Amino acid sequence: MAKNILCLSGPNLNLLGSREPDKYGTATLGAIEQKLGVQAAMAGSKLTCFQSNSESQLVDRIQQAAQQSVDFILINPAAYTHTSVAIRDALAAVAIPFVEIHLTHIRAREPFRHRSYFSDLAVGVVSGLGPQSYELALSYALDHAGKD
C-alpha cells in the first residue's frame, strides 16, 4: 500500500527564490515540491503539498490529514516555529508522525529563533541544509511511514 505523505510549508515560503537568497537560496517552493513529487512517486508514494501564510489554514490542513489517512507529515512551520501553540496542538491531536524542516540553521540565527514549539513532538528535525532539508525529511518518511 502506498504511503500517503503531506508536506506543509508555512508563511513566506511562497517567496522562496526571491526572498533573501543569501539565506534561503534561489530555489522556489514550486521547484522544491516538484523534486519531492518525483522522489515520492519513484518510491510508489503519494505526496500532497500545501503552503499557507495563514496559521488557521495550516491547522485546518493538519486536522484534515487525520481524516485522509495521511501516514506522515513533513512540516516547515517557518516563523510559526517560534510562536504557534495552535499548530503544535493540531499536530499533537492528530498524532501523525512528522519531521520538522528548516532551510536555515535556526540555532545559528537570532536568539528568538532558537526555540521551537514542535521539536519535542517531532520524530526528527532537519535544519540548515537548504532545499535538501526537505529531501532528507522525505527520505526518512518514505523509509519509516507506518513503522512508528
Side-chain angles (χ1 to χ4, degrees), residues 79-101:
Y80 289 134
T81 302
H82 325 289
T83 63
S84 184
V85 174
I87 294 173
R88 175 195 169 84
D89 287 351
L91 287 164
V94 299
I96 297 169
F98 71 94
V99 170
E100 179 182 346
I101 301 167

Side-chain angles (χ1 to χ4, degrees), residues 8-88:
L8 298 173
S9 295
N12 299 311
L13 292 170
N14 56 308
L15 299 176
L16 288 177
S18 61
R19 174 190 180 203
E20 301 176 88
D22 56 316
K23 282 187 185 145
Y24 298 103
T26 57
T28 65
L29 183 60
I32 293 168
E33 290 175 348
Q34 183 176 23
K35 194 168 187 179
L36 295 177
V38 170
Q39 183 181 351
M42 288 178 60
S45 293
K46 176 185 173 192
L47 176 72
T48 304
C49 296
F50 180 79
Q51 185 277 328
S52 181
N53 295 321
S54 167
E55 182 179 38
S56 66
Q57 288 182 359
L58 291 164
V59 168
D60 289 344
R61 190 63 189 90
I62 291 165
Q63 291 175 359
Q64 290 170 1
Q67 298 161 354
Q68 296 171 336
S69 301
V70 168
D71 300 309
F72 211 96
I73 295 174
L74 310 176
I75 184 168
N76 182 343
Y80 289 134
T81 302
H82 325 289
T83 63
S84 184
V85 174
I87 294 173
R88 175 195 169 84

